[in-house]
């Protein structure tokens, strides 16, 4: 049942002699059948001892389970008067640890129904809605060192048997653990456990007793353990730099990289083979859950001239209540039960600018949603909830999209066109004939320095933009309506008043008079995304 062969017999004995647990024996014998690891520990242990032709003694079984061999025993004591008396004598203190020196107890004590229920109970408490999950496991980096040590311990035996077996053939602790426990977790949660899923359940283990197992590698392979820049300062402040308790430079990837470089001889000089038995087992960390982000797309109209697109905060003080993103986000956060959101749109309008027409495309990333599946009817209801919550905005074409699809909103954004309608005031008296020449201007090239009003949040640069076309409607001697079709990213207000000469040419230059913009509306954002949804 365990798929072992005659050549594995001496390897099994050698691993047991080193104190390895039954599941680690299977791993080093390259047993790759899931069902072997799912068996109760006692059954695996019994089959292995039957395989090597030894009695599955109580002491062996207790040792591998990390339990005392016997409870305090009742012994006979000869009194001075020669009579016999029953007495209870405490068991002798154990001098050898019962914990596996390779997996540090992970495959002994955390592959049963008790731990599986502990994990599933933690997941249920978070109240996610899901029908499939992926189980991820985080193990202490020192397990890689101990596995390497055990591999060197049996390497000679492998060579003597002329076995074609490499270290990479050994089943990883992480895989063996998943094979043993994930079926129990999935059954308890009523969900399929897959290799990939949007819903992730993470378990982890720590083992402070052996944290220093990796430290010798930093002396032999210092290039593998260079701290990142943001971690340099703590290392300078605390002495010594590399060997402090819990130093974060000893990541699993760094340790594996160092083990690939170090020679067997040098490793054996610095670390015992097989590894020493620990006194304590691993400690399980809290189970955590995370659902991949859900992305919502749509278009919004803004009808208010007193509503910013995003919260308006100046010098740490909020100006104006509410924002477009908050009005859209509130119903979505509530329905998806998400932890937060990221809002993005195709450009942005100023607080005093309306967005009309078909609206401005936007996407909203909902972080760690506890509910992720909504049908078309439910999404329509969400859209209606947003629209009924305020008369300042309106949303259309609301839909769930993929992360990849959101990039289409930004692709070639500056090559797209946008249309505007502006109410213009002029200093000098004008007539309708004074405006006719503006309608004849096509593809006017302008150069815009970063406007003074946004210089605090955008880098100083000169941007080349196109005014594709203009049309005018005369109102009175000092006012007219200007309609523009421009390259996306054009600063319309600065094109009108010139921004102290930072935009050239500008409307003031063209009309040879001072002019300013009184009202501005976005009439259309010509991006064919997201797909329109019929009413």
């Amino acid at each position: 049942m365990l798929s072992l062969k005659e050549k594995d017999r001496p390897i099994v004995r050698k691993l047991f002699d080193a104190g390895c647990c039954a599941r680690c024996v299977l791993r080093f014998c390259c047993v790759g059948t899931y069902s072997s690891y799912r068996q109760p520990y006692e059954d695996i242990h019994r089959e292995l001892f039957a395989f090597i032709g030894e009695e599955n003694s109580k002491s062996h079984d207790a040792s591998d389970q990390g339990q005392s061999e016997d409870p305090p025993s009742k012994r006979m004591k000869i009194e001075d008067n020669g009579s016999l008396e029953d007495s209870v004598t405490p068991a002798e203190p154990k001098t050898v640890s019962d914990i596996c020196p390779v997996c540090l107890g992970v495959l002994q004590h955390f592959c049963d129904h008790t731990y599986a229920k502990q994990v599933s109970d933690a997941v249920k408490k978070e109240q996610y809605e899901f029908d499939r999950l992926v189980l991820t496991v985080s193990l202490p980096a020192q397990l890689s060192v101990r596995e390497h040590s055990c591999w060197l311990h049996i390497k000679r035996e492998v060579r003597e048997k002329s076995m074609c077996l490499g270290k990479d053939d050994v089943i990883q602790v992480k895989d063996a653990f998943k094979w043993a426990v994930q079926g129990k977790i999935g059954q308890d949660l009523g969900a399929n456990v897959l290799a990939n899923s949007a819903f992730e359940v993470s378990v982890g283990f720590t083992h402070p007793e052996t944290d220093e197992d990796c430290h010798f590698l930093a002396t032999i392979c210092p290039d593998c353990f260079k701290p990142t820049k943001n971690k340099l300062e703590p290392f300078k402040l605390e002495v010594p730099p590399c060997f402090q308790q819990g130093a974060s430079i000893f990541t699993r990837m760094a340790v594996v990289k160092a083990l690939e470089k170090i020679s067997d001889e040098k490793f054996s000089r610095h670390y015992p083979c097989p590894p020493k038995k620990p006194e304590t087992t691993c400690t399980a960390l809290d189970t955590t859950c995370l659902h991949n982000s859900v992305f919502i797309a749509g278009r919004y109209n803004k009808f208010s001239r007193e509503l910013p697109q995003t919260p308006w905060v100046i010098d740490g003080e909020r100006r104006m209540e509410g924002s477009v993103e908050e009005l859209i986000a509130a119903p979505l956060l509530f329905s998806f039960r998400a932890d937060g959101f990221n809002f993005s749109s195709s450009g942005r309008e100023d607080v005093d600018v309306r967005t009309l027409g078909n609206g401005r495309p936007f996407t909203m990333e909902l972080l760690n949603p506890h509910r992720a599946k909504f049908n078309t009817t439910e999404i329509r209801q969400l859209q209606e909830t947003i629209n009924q919550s305020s008369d300042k905005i309106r949303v259309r074409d609301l839909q769930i999209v993929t992360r990849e699809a959101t990039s289409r909103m930004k692709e070639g954004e500056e090559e797209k066109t946008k249309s505007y309608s502006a109410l213009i005031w002029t200093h000098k008296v004008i007539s309708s004939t004074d405006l006719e020449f503006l309608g004849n201007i096509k593809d006017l090239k302008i150069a815009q320095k970063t406007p003074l009003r946004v210089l605090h949040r955008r880098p100083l640069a000169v941007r080349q933009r196109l005014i594709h076309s203009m049309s005018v409607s005369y109102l009175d001697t000092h006012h007219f309506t200007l309609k523009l079709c421009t390259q996306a990213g054009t600063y319309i207000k600065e094109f009108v008043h010139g921004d102290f000469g930072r935009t050239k040419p500008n409307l003031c230059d063209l009309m040879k008079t001072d002019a300013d913009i009184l009202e501005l509306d976005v009439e259309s954002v010509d991006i064919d995304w997201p797909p329109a949804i019929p009413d």
Side-chain angles (χ1 to χ4, degrees):
M1 185 172 181
L2 296 180
S3 306
L4 295 173
K5 299 178 181 178
E6 181 62 32
K7 60 184 176 59
D8 295 318
R9 219 177 285 273
I11 304 299
V12 174
R13 289 195 183 98
K14 199 171 186 71
L15 290 167
F16 271 133
D17 288 343
C20 293
C21 70
R23 289 192 177 96
C24 277
V25 171
L26 295 185
R27 294 192 308 109
F28 280 93
C29 290
C30 305
V31 175
T33 52
Y34 297 6
S35 58
S36 298
Y37 296 88
R38 291 185 189 132
Q39 293 185 72
Y41 188 91
E42 296 81 356
D43 293 350
I44 302 173
H45 192 274
R46 189 181 304 110
E47 286 192 46
L48 285 172
F49 268 80
F51 171 70
I52 60 176
E54 294 185 15
E55 181 186 355
N56 186 17
S57 67
K58 182 181 291 186
S59 63
H60 273 123
D61 187 63
S63 174
D64 274 305
Q65 283 296 323
Q67 302 167 350
S68 300
E69 292 183 8
D70 288 298
S73 57
K74 206 180 219 186
R75 297 184 181 178
M76 304 296 290
K77 179 171 78 174
I78 301 179
E79 299 291 342
D80 290 339
N81 59 9
S83 64
L84 296 177
E85 178 180 312
D86 288 345
S87 66
V88 176
T89 304
E92 294 294 326
K94 297 179 73 63
T95 57
V96 179
S97 168
D98 297 324
I99 300 162
C100 176
V102 183
C103 73
L104 300 177
V106 171
L107 299 180
Q108 291 172 286
H109 306 290
F110 298 96
C111 293
D112 57 10
H113 287 282
T114 301
Y115 180 68
K117 188 174 188 308
Q118 179 183 324
V119 172
S120 59
D121 286 347
V123 175
K124 291 175 183 177
K125 188 177 180 181
E126 296 298 321
Q127 297 184 329
Y128 285 86
E129 293 184 23
F130 60 95
D131 54 15
R132 60 191 66 187
L133 65 92
V134 59
L135 181 67
T136 63
V137 185
S138 174
L139 298 171
Q142 56 265 36
L143 259 66
S144 297
V145 175
R146 289 177 164 266
E147 183 147 303
H148 190 77
S149 167
C150 193
W151 167 250
L152 294 183
H153 177 60
I154 66 169
K155 194 174 182 179
R156 181 179 300 175
E157 192 79 42
V158 170
R159 285 177 175 171
E160 287 177 356
K161 299 297 179 183
S162 299
M163 296 167 64
C164 184
L165 182 65
K167 184 183 174 184
D168 291 341
D169 297 321
V170 176
I171 305 300
Q172 297 296 303
V173 174
K174 186 177 297 187
D175 292 331
F177 173 80
K178 287 182 180 180
W179 296 346
V181 79
Q182 66 185 11
K184 300 179 180 71
I185 295 173
Q187 184 176 13
D188 197 22
L189 292 173
N192 294 320
V193 183
L194 308 174
N196 290 291
S197 173
F199 181 56
E200 177 182 294
V201 175
S202 298
V203 299
F205 301 91
T206 184
H207 196 259
E209 179 191 341
T210 57
D211 273 346
E212 295 184 0
D213 278 11
C214 305
H215 290 184
F216 76 97
L217 292 171
T219 302
I220 302 171
C221 305
D223 290 346
C224 297
F225 300 96
K226 291 181 179 179
T228 56
K229 289 183 180 180
N230 62 335
K231 295 175 183 175
L232 282 172
E233 196 62 30
F235 278 83
K236 291 179 182 177
L237 294 173
E238 300 177 14
V239 180
C242 289
F243 304 101
Q244 56 187 325
Q245 184 73 14
S248 58
I249 57 170
F250 295 104
T251 63
R252 193 188 73 83
M253 292 302 296
V255 169
V256 170
K257 186 177 179 181
L259 291 174
E260 290 173 351
K261 288 187 174 184
I262 192 172
S263 67
D264 294 353
E265 181 184 357
K266 189 172 290 187
F267 181 94
S268 300
R269 286 205 306 265
H270 289 83
Y271 197 87
C273 299
K276 293 180 180 178
K277 292 186 177 183
E279 294 299 324
T280 58
T281 189
C282 274
T283 300
L285 301 173
D286 290 341
T287 300
T288 60
C289 303
L290 181 67
H291 198 290
N292 287 355
S293 296
V294 170
F295 293 84
I296 302 291
R299 286 176 174 263
Y300 74 81
N301 293 113
K302 180 168 86 76
F303 305 119
S304 171
R305 298 195 189 278
E306 296 181 345
L307 183 69
Q309 187 193 66
T310 57
W312 194 8
V313 179
I314 300 176
D315 297 329
E317 182 179 344
R318 177 156 183 160
R319 308 291 177 87
M320 298 190 175
E321 288 300 320
S323 65
V324 172
E325 72 167 32
E326 290 170 304
L327 289 173
I328 297 174
L332 296 178
L333 286 173
F334 177 79
S335 297
F336 282 81
R337 290 188 281 133
D339 290 348
F341 68 92
N342 291 318
F343 181 84
S344 180
S345 64
S346 179
R348 57 186 297 144
E349 68 284 315
D350 292 338
V351 62
D352 59 348
V353 176
R354 298 184 302 178
T355 299
L356 308 177
N358 287 337
R360 187 186 297 278
F362 73 89
T363 64
M364 186 166 288
E365 178 186 9
L366 297 170
L367 306 173
N368 193 26
H370 287 49
R371 180 188 176 190
K373 290 187 176 181
F374 286 76
N375 60 37
T376 303
T377 301
E378 290 171 324
I379 294 296
R380 283 181 179 272
Q381 291 172 345
L382 270 175
Q383 177 174 294
E384 189 60 27
T385 299
I386 295 170
N387 292 338
Q388 290 178 356
S389 67
S390 172
D391 59 1
K392 295 180 180 180
I393 66 164
R394 184 170 180 82
V395 169
R396 60 183 298 158
D397 300 331
L398 196 69
Q399 56 198 277
I400 296 177
V401 297
T402 64
R403 179 189 293 270
E404 293 71 27
T406 61
S407 62
R408 298 175 195 168
M409 188 178 71
K410 296 295 184 180
E411 286 175 0
E413 189 176 71
E414 292 191 356
E415 283 67 48
K416 300 295 183 181
T417 60
K418 296 184 180 181
S419 299
Y420 301 86
S421 176
L423 176 60
I424 308 298
W425 167 88
T426 62
H427 181 263
K428 76 175 185 179
V429 175
I430 59 171
S431 65
S432 59
T433 55
D434 294 327
L435 305 174
E436 291 176 355
F437 78 101
L438 293 175
N440 298 323
I441 296 175
K442 304 297 181 185
D443 294 329
L444 175 67
K445 294 181 180 179
I446 64 173
Q448 293 192 305
K449 282 187 180 179
T450 304
L452 292 172
R453 63 188 172 90
V454 299
L455 198 54
H456 66 285
R457 57 182 172 86
R458 296 206 173 179
L460 178 61
V462 177
R463 297 171 176 84
Q464 305 296 323
R465 291 292 184 266
L466 281 175
I467 308 293
H468 294 294
S469 64
M470 292 183 283
S471 63
V472 296
S473 296
Y474 177 79
L475 297 176
D476 59 40
T477 54
H478 289 282
H479 300 89
F480 70 94
T481 300
L482 175 66
K483 294 196 173 183
L484 312 92
C485 179
T486 74
Q487 179 183 352
T490 303
Y491 291 102
I492 304 302
K493 292 178 179 179
E494 282 66 28
F495 168 68
V496 172
H497 59 60
D499 198 23
F500 301 101
R502 297 170 70 85
T503 292
K504 295 182 178 180
N506 54 65
L507 190 63
C508 294
D509 294 336
L510 297 174
M511 296 187 66
K512 295 180 172 52
T513 182
D514 289 339
D516 206 351
I517 189 166
L518 302 181
E519 291 181 351
L520 179 63
D521 293 328
V522 179
E523 296 288 351
S524 70
V525 180
D526 302 322
I527 297 176
D528 189 21
W529 192 88
I533 297 177
D535 292 334

